[in-house]
Amino acid sequence: MDALGYVRPGSVQEAVEAYAAHPGARYLAGGTNLVDLLKLGVEKPTTLIDLGRLPLDGTEELPDGSLRVGATVRNSDLAADPRVRTRWPALSQALLAGASAQLRNAATTGGNLLQRTRCPYFQDLDKPCNKREPGSGCGARDGVHRDHAVLGHSAQCIATNPSDMAVALAALDAQVELYGPDGPRRLPAAEFHRLPGEHPERDTWIRPGELITGIVLPAATAGLPSAYRKARDRASYAFALASVAVVLRVGDGVVAQVGIAYGGLAHRPWRARHTELALQGAAATPAAFEGAVALELAHAEPLRDNAYKVSLARNLALDVLNRLAPAPAPA
Amino acid sequence: MTGTTGTTGAALGAPAERREGRQKVTGAARYAAEYTLPGRAHAWPVPAAVARGRVTAVDTAAALALPGVLAVLTPEDAPRLADPEDATLAVLQGPGVPHRGWCVALAVAETPEAARAAARAVRVTYDTAPHDAAFTEHHRDGYAPQEAGGQPGRVEHGDPRAAFAGADVRVDVTYRVPPLHNHPMEPHASTAHWDGDRLTVYTSSQGGTTVRSTLAQLFRLPEEHVTVVAEHVGGGFGSKGTPRPDVVLAAMAARHTGRPVTLAYARRHLPTVVGHRAPTVQRLRLGAGHDGRLTALLHETTSPTSRVKEFVEYAAVVSRVMYAAPNLLSAHRVVPLDVPTPSWMRAPGEAPGMYALESALDELADVLGLDPVELRARNEPAEEPGSGKPFSSRHVVDCLREGARRFGWEDRDPRPGVRREGSWLLGTGVAAATYPVQAAPSTAGAQALPDGTFVVRINAADIGTGARTVLAQVAADALGVPLDRVRTEVGRSDLPPAPLAGGSSGTASWGWAVHEACAELASRLAAHTGPLPAEGIETRADTTGKADADSPWARHAFGAHFAEVAVDTVTGEIRARRLLGVYAAGRILNARTARSQFTGAMIMGLGMALTEGSTLDPAFGDFPEADLASYHVPVHADVPDVEAHWIDEDDPHLNPMGSKGIGEIGIVGTAAAVGNAVHHATGIRFRELPLTPDRILAGLLSES
C-alpha cells in the first residue's frame, strides 16, 4: 500500500475542511469496501479522513414522526433498531440480507450508500473498466456479465449497485442528508445514485467534499406494510442477483400508496415508477400487480447472459406485492 | 490429554481428539507465513496482464524508488533454475507468457504492503500474441491423451456403439461441470531462508518430501542441504499436493536478496497459479434391457488444459469401476489452450465423473420406471469392469440399502414435480460414490524412551485432517500401549521421508510404515531386559516393495449419498434440507476425524452442486471469480443437516490397519444426489453445474 495520510476530525465541519485541505482524500467510515479497494489498488487516496469520532452515530425521532439515522450508525444496529423493525421493516430486512454479521457490525449507513460496484472488471487493474479508468473500455459487456445490469445501463458501463440497504431506502422515500462546503442539503434516496451514462466513474450525485451526515426515514411511509426480498447464489453472504423492496398501503381493496424499488438490476436502486403509477388507485389484485410490474420491466435491455434477471425481478415483485396486499374480503 | 488412563489395543477406531486442536484455536500453531525470521522480507508477484505473448521489457525504476523496496526479480536477472519436471515451476526463467496470471516479475520489500505497492509499480511491456481461451468440446486442437490419471486414456470393451444402438432403452445425455477452485482457508505461502548453500523453507504443502527433492533439483543442491518444514497446513484439497510457484519464488527471492523471504499468495492469486479443477463436458450413453441391466456404457469426457503442461481431468475412469456393462467405452479428450494450468482438486476425475455417470443413471432409472437404488443393485459387477480383477471388498449396494433405510427412502413417491410446500418444490435423490484405494511406500521411525513414552517420527503432512492423531493411534495399538504414551512428530524433512497427503492415501501409506516400525519396536522391547538405555530404543521401517506391490485385487472405497432439496419456484433458489452419506471404506481409524472428513467433503460436494463455479473468460483468459465474495463456497446457512455413517468392512487385502482412504469419497456423488433430487422436485433435468437460480428459474419458466 502506498503511504497515505490519516486524519481524525472531531466534527462534520472539521471533516469537510480536512477534505478541502487534502486533495485526493477519501472519507473512511467502516472501511468494509474502501479498505478492500485500497488493497486492490482501485482506490488510491492521499489521505484517509476517519469519521469514527464524528457525532453521527445516533438515531433520533423527529417531531413529524420521521426518524433520522446518523451516517456512522452501524448496519447491524440499524437493522436491530425496534423503531426500524416495526415501522420500516423493509429496511431492517434489507440490511440483514446484506453481507455477513461481521461486515454489518463494521459497515455504516453512509458507507453502505457509497460502496462501489463489485463488478470483477472494476476490481482488476489489469482489465479495462470505464468506471475505474474512464475511456479504457468495458470488459464485462462482452465478458462475464451474468450479475450485471438489465436496466439503465450504457455503452460505457453495465455495472450494478451492490447495496441492499439503498434499495429499501429508495422504496421507502428516505432522504439522504449531506453536508459540504456550501452547507447542508438533502437528496431523495431514490435519486442519490446515478445511471452510468457517459460518466460511469461517478456513482452518485454527491459533490466533491460533501459528506453524508445521515438519512431520514419519512413519516409518510412509517408503519406501512413493507418488505424486502432478495435472490442470490447462496443462502447468505452473496450479493443480489435481483431484489425488491415494496411499501404498500391498500384501502378498500384499492392501492392507496405504493413504492417499489429493485436491486441488482441497475447502476442504482431502480425505483419502479411506471409500476407505481399504474397501481396508484388500482384494485390491489394479483392481475393488476402482474400488469403493472410488466410495464416497468418492459424497459429492460438484458445482455447476452442475464435475461433471467427480468423474470426473477418480476417474480420477486409479484411475490412481495401479493404478500403485502391484504387478503380480499370473502365474497 | 493427561494421565495414562487409556486402555491398550483400543486406540484405532476411537474418536480421539485432534492433537493440535488447542494450538490451532488459540493461534499458537504456526503456519508458513508466520515464521518471523530475523530480517525477513516479503515478496509479491507481478502477474502477467496478457493471455499470451512475451515480456519485452520490465521497468523496475518506479518500484525500486518506493520506500522499503529491496529488489525486483525479472525474467532477465532472476536466478537460473535447472529445468523442472513440472513446467509450472519454471518461473522467471524466460520471457514467455503462457497464460494470464503467470508470474512475470517479483517484488521484494520490507513489508507485504511495500512489496504489493512495488509489484504494482513495475511496468511490464509485452509483445502480445493472439490467444485462444475459448473451451468447447469440439475444439479442433482436441486430442486423445495416452494417459488419464495414470491410467490409459481410453478403455474399450466389446462393441459399445453397436450395443448402444441396439439397446431396448437408451439414454444419451451431456453433463457439464464448470472450473472449480480449491481455495483452502490458508492460501499458499512459503518462507525461505538460505544459510550458505543450505536452504530452509517453511511451506504450506501436502507433501514436504517432494518439496525437498524438487527444490534440490531446481537449485542444484544435494537433498540434505534442503530442509522443508510444513508443520501446520490450512487445507490443500489437492492444490498443495506438489510444490507450487510460491516456494520456488520465495527461495529465489531469498537467494537474490540474501534475506529470509516470505511469499504469501493473496486469495486473488490462487485461481491462476495453484491449479484448479478443469471444466468437463461429459457425454454419457447408457443402453439397457427392459430389466435395467446395462448392455452398453459409453462415457466420453473433454476438458481443457494449459500449454504449460498436460493435465487430464480423468472423469471417465469411474465408468471402469462402477457397473457391469459388457460393452464399455471410457475415453478422454483434452484441449490445450492459453489458460491457467489445471491440477488436482479433491477427487480429481471421480468427483466430476460420478456427477455425470450417476446423473445419467438416474435418468435411466426414470426411463425404465425403476427405483434408482434397485437399478444400481441390478448392475453390480462380479469383478472390476475395467481390469477384470476381483474386488477386495465392495459394499456399494449395502451402502445404498443402509442409506435408504436411514434416509426413509422406501416411502418415496418416485413421481417428479409433485411435492409442493407453498412456493417450494421438494425432492429427494440418490447417487453412489467410489474412490480408489491407494498407498505409496513410506518410511517411519519409532522410539521407546526410558520414561515409558514413545515417539513416532515421519515426514507426513497434517493438512487439517488429523494425521498426527491417527498415526499415534496406529502406533499405540501396534505397540500395545495407551494412546497418550505416544507422541507423533510430522511435517519436517529431517524426519523419515514419507509420501504426500493426497489421493486419500496418506493414512494408509504413513500408517503402514508406522505400524511396521512400532511392531518391530514392540518385539525388540519384548526381548529387552532391564532398564532402557538413555537414548531409548529406535526402529525404522520402509514399506518399499509392500505398499507399492502389485495387487491381484481391485481395491476401492464405496459409498452412497442421499439428498433432500427444496426448490423455490419464485426465485429458482435451491436449499438442501438433508444430506446423508454412508460409506464402506475399510476400517475407520478415528471416528471423530473421519466423520469430519466425510461431512466436510459432502459440503464441498454441495458447493459443487449448487454454488461453486467460475467462468473461463475467453476474452482475457482467466477467471473473474477471484475472491470468496464471487466464488461461492457454501456458508453455514447453506448447510442445514449433514449426516455421515459407515459400514464396517473387514478387508484383509489393504494394509495392516485394514483401512481405505476417506479424504475424498465424500465429495464423489454428492453433486449427483443433489441434482437428482432437483429433478425429483421439479421434473426438469438440469445438466450443467452449478444449479444457480438463473438456470433453475429459466428451466422452470420454460416448463410452465
Side-chain angles (χ1 to χ4, degrees):
Chain A
M1 203 177 292
D2 299 321
L4 46 77
Y6 177 80
V7 293
R8 196 148 60 154
S11 72
V12 169
Q13 186 59 40
E14 282 175 36
V16 171
E17 286 167 8
Y19 190 95
H22 296 92
R26 288 278 188 285
Y27 293 125
L28 172 72
T32 58
N33 186 214
L34 179 58
V35 174
D36 281 352
L37 294 174
L38 290 174
K39 292 183 190 169
L40 292 171
V42 173
E43 288 279 4
K44 286 167 268 194
T46 57
T47 306
L48 291 177
I49 303 170
D50 187 339
L51 308 179
R53 285 192 180 165
L54 266 51
L56 299 175
D57 58 348
T59 304
E60 57 173 331
E61 293 187 69
L62 302 180
D64 68 346
S66 60
L67 188 73
R68 171 185 282 143
V69 180
T72 61
V73 170
R74 306 286 158 176
N75 286 177
S76 47
D77 291 333
L78 184 57
D81 189 308
R83 294 162 297 189
V84 174
R85 292 179 60 174
T86 54
R87 291 181 224 165
W88 297 277
L91 176 58
S92 179
Q93 291 165 16
L95 285 159
L96 293 175
S100 65
Q102 292 89 337
L103 287 166
R104 293 193 294 271
N105 286 339
T108 65
T109 310
N112 189 316
L113 280 172
L114 292 176
Q115 65 179 305
R116 313 291 314 268
T117 185
R118 296 317 198 276
C119 173
Y121 301 90
F122 172 72
Q123 295 179 317
D124 186 342
L125 299 187
D126 287 335
K127 291 176 185 163
C129 171
N130 289 320
K131 180 181 282 295
R132 190 188 66 243
E133 196 181 328
S136 63
C138 173
R141 178 166 276 279
D142 296 322
V144 177
H145 60 226
R146 187 194 67 127
D147 297 344
H148 287 68
V150 295
L151 281 162
H153 50 72
S154 70
Q156 278 71 33
C157 184
I158 59 171
T160 57
N161 181 291
S163 173
D164 293 293
M165 183 193 79
V167 179
L169 294 181
L172 291 167
D173 283 326
Q175 297 275 319
V176 181
E177 295 192 324
L178 300 160
Y179 187 88
D182 302 327
R185 68 176 181 130
R186 278 186 173 193
L187 279 175
E191 309 297 326
F192 179 72
H193 295 93
R194 299 164 52 108
L195 290 181
E198 296 294 314
H199 288 285
E201 72 277 13
R202 296 183 206 159
D203 291 351
T204 72
W205 291 102
I206 205 163
R207 293 171 189 153
E210 264 186 334
L211 182 66
I212 297 175
T213 54
I215 57 164
V216 176
L217 298 169
T221 54
L224 297 186
S226 73
Y228 183 77
R229 186 163 182 197
K230 169 180 180 178
R232 45 187 149 174
D233 279 334
R234 62 183 164 194
S236 177
Y237 187 42
F239 292 98
L241 298 171
S243 69
V244 68
V246 178
V247 54
L248 180 69
R249 182 160 64 87
V250 174
D252 295 331
V254 169
V255 175
Q257 187 180 346
V258 62
I260 301 172
Y262 292 109
L265 301 192
H267 196 259
R268 69 179 192 205
W270 189 270
R271 187 78 187 249
R273 302 284 184 194
H274 296 95
T275 300
E276 293 173 13
L277 202 61
L279 285 180
Q280 196 69 42
T285 63
F289 292 148
E290 192 157 349
V293 165
L295 282 178
E296 190 75 39
L297 295 172
H299 295 269
E301 294 177 281
L303 306 159
R304 184 192 66 226
D305 290 332
N306 68 359
Y308 75 96
K309 284 196 172 195
V310 181
S311 318
L312 182 54
R314 180 198 63 213
N315 283 5
L316 286 168
L318 292 178
D319 179 68
V320 176
L321 282 164
N322 285 314
R323 196 144 45 86
L324 290 177
Chain B
M1 244 178 281
T2 54
T4 52
T5 53
T7 51
T8 58
L12 276 179
E17 283 180 25
R18 203 180 290 269
R19 295 189 152 204
E20 75 287 6
R22 185 180 181 84
Q23 279 177 277
K24 282 182 174 168
V25 297
T26 58
R30 269 205 294 181
Y31 292 81
E34 297 175 326
Y35 287 84
T36 50
L37 307 180
R40 174 175 74 153
H42 297 264
W44 199 273
V46 179
V50 301
R52 185 163 171 244
R54 294 170 64 81
V55 173
T56 53
V58 182
D59 178 355
T60 61
L64 290 170
L66 291 172
V69 177
L70 300 169
V72 177
L73 282 72
T74 74
E76 290 265 299
D77 64 6
R80 295 297 106 178
L81 304 170
D83 281 343
E85 196 180 316
D86 177 351
T88 65
L89 300 180
V91 279
L92 301 179
Q93 299 302 296
V97 175
H99 63 76
R100 184 177 280 261
W102 180 259
C103 184
V104 292
L106 185 72
V108 189
E110 298 288 350
T111 65
E113 292 81 7
R116 181 174 61 201
R120 210 162 271 154
V122 173
R123 291 287 154 257
V124 182
T125 317
Y126 302 92
D127 178 6
T128 306
H131 72 270
D132 182 358
F135 170 60
T136 66
E137 65 267 44
H138 304 300
H139 197 288
R140 60 188 165 82
D141 293 347
Y143 65 91
Q146 287 296 307
E147 282 199 1
Q151 303 200 43
R154 178 188 179 92
V155 165
E156 186 164 354
H157 294 166
D159 189 347
R161 283 185 180 78
F164 176 74
D168 295 338
V169 176
R170 286 190 296 268
V171 165
D172 182 353
V173 288
T174 298
Y175 279 85
R176 290 166 198 274
V177 180
L180 296 165
H181 300 274
N182 314 58
H183 280 317
M185 197 182 294
E186 179 203 20
H188 299 57
S190 298
T191 298
H193 167 57
W194 290 87
D195 182 1
D197 62 350
R198 288 175 183 272
L199 171 63
T200 301
V201 297
Y202 305 86
T203 188
S204 187
S205 171
Q206 292 172 230
T209 302
T210 310
V211 175
R212 182 191 214 187
S213 59
T214 303
L215 291 175
Q217 188 259 328
L218 288 178
F219 289 91
R220 302 180 177 88
L221 301 167
E223 278 203 28
E224 57 273 22
H225 284 202
V226 181
T227 303
V228 177
V229 179
E231 202 185 346
H232 295 289
V233 178
F237 309 113
S239 70
K240 297 172 183 172
T242 53
R244 299 298 145 110
D246 56 292
V247 71
V248 179
L249 290 167
M252 287 167 83
R255 172 168 270 185
H256 188 84
T257 59
R259 305 259 300 256
V261 172
T262 294
L263 195 166
Y265 278 135
R267 181 66 59 188
R268 305 183 67 84
H269 292 136
L270 265 51
T272 52
V273 296
V274 305
H276 60 280
R277 192 193 301 289
T280 46
V281 179
Q282 301 176 57
R283 184 178 183 195
L284 266 296
R285 281 177 283 177
L286 307 181
H290 293 297
D291 60 357
R293 288 181 211 286
L294 288 168
T295 53
L297 167 50
L298 295 87
H299 190 169
E300 295 161 285
T301 181
T302 307
S303 58
T305 187
S306 75
R307 294 198 205 274
V308 180
K309 69 173 183 184
E310 179 189 275
F311 180 86
V312 182
E313 183 71 31
Y314 43 99
V317 168
V318 291
S319 287
R320 304 169 191 175
V321 176
M322 284 306 295
Y323 300 113
N327 300 286
L328 172 71
L329 173 65
S330 158
H332 299 80
R333 282 183 78 74
V334 65
V335 180
L337 297 171
D338 304 304
V339 299
T341 306
S343 184
W344 302 323
M345 178 166 164
R346 204 173 201 170
E350 286 84 7
M354 283 293 272
Y355 163 65
L357 176 61
E358 292 299 289
S359 300
L361 216 71
D362 200 66
E363 299 209 42
L364 180 63
D366 218 32
V367 175
L368 289 161
L370 198 59
D371 180 78
V373 171
E374 180 57 29
L375 175 63
R376 288 170 173 87
R378 284 190 195 177
N379 285 288
E380 267 293 273
E383 65 275 326
E384 187 181 47
S387 69
K389 289 182 181 180
F391 289 100
S392 66
S393 57
R394 177 179 166 114
H395 292 101
V396 63
V397 175
D398 305 70
C399 290
L400 287 160
R401 301 237 189 264
E402 173 66 3
R405 184 186 70 76
R406 289 179 176 274
F407 191 78
W409 186 260
E410 67 276 10
D411 302 331
R412 180 181 190 254
D413 177 350
R415 291 174 300 155
V418 296
R419 285 151 299 277
R420 250 189 190 274
E421 192 181 284
S423 66
W424 297 88
L425 291 167
L426 309 182
T428 52
V430 62
T434 185
Y435 195 84
V437 171
Q438 303 179 74
S442 179
T443 64
Q447 185 181 18
L449 294 169
D451 65 359
T453 65
F454 300 84
V455 185
V456 169
R457 295 188 177 89
I458 180 167
N459 188 19
D462 193 331
I463 59 171
T465 53
R468 276 181 184 81
T469 313
V470 76
L471 293 178
Q473 291 173 275
V474 170
D477 278 9
L479 289 162
V481 302
L483 179 56
D484 57 8
R485 298 254 296 277
V486 180
R487 194 152 53 82
T488 324
E489 292 183 12
V490 301
R492 290 199 325 265
S493 60
D494 58 352
L495 298 168
L500 81 161
S504 296
S505 69
T507 300
S509 308
W510 309 324
W512 198 325
V514 166
H515 175 90
E516 294 211 341
C518 290
E520 194 199 328
L521 183 58
S523 57
R524 296 256 311 266
L525 287 172
H528 184 87
T529 50
L532 294 188
E535 70 279 12
I537 296 180
E538 275 191 82
T539 57
R540 196 174 161 113
D542 182 345
T543 61
T544 303
K546 292 181 184 171
D548 52 350
D550 283 336
S551 172
W553 302 98
R555 298 179 293 188
H556 302 268
F558 291 94
H561 290 122
F562 292 79
E564 179 180 345
V565 303
V567 180
D568 189 342
T569 53
V570 173
T571 60
E573 292 172 298
I574 298 172
R575 297 285 178 264
R577 293 191 169 184
R578 288 192 290 156
L579 291 179
L580 187 150
V582 179
Y583 305 95
R587 187 174 182 197
I588 298 302
L589 303 182
N590 180 322
R592 183 192 303 264
T593 52
R595 187 180 305 282
S596 179
Q597 289 227 58
F598 286 135
T599 56
M602 290 166 74
I603 292 164
M604 207 163 179
L606 177 69
M608 177 180 170
L610 297 185
T611 58
E612 292 185 45
S614 73
T615 323
L616 187 50
D617 181 345
F620 296 98
D622 68 350
F623 311 100
E625 300 85 352
D627 59 26
L628 294 178
S630 55
Y631 184 82
H632 294 135
V633 299
V635 295
H636 286 90
D638 293 293
V639 185
D641 181 4
V642 181
E643 279 182 45
H645 305 276
W646 48 86
I647 287 169
D648 289 323
E649 275 187 321
D650 186 9
D651 184 337
H653 308 297
L654 302 171
N655 57 50
M657 296 81 65
S659 62
K660 296 176 177 176
I662 57 166
E664 286 158 277
I665 192 167
I667 194 178
V668 180
T670 305
V674 172
N676 293 341
V678 171
H679 169 259
H680 187 233
T682 61
I684 303 165
R685 284 289 169 188
F686 296 94
R687 299 191 181 94
E688 182 167 10
L689 296 181
L691 303 172
T692 42
D694 51 332
R695 293 189 172 128
I696 302 301
L697 191 62
L700 291 170
L701 290 170
S702 68
E703 281 292 295
S704 62

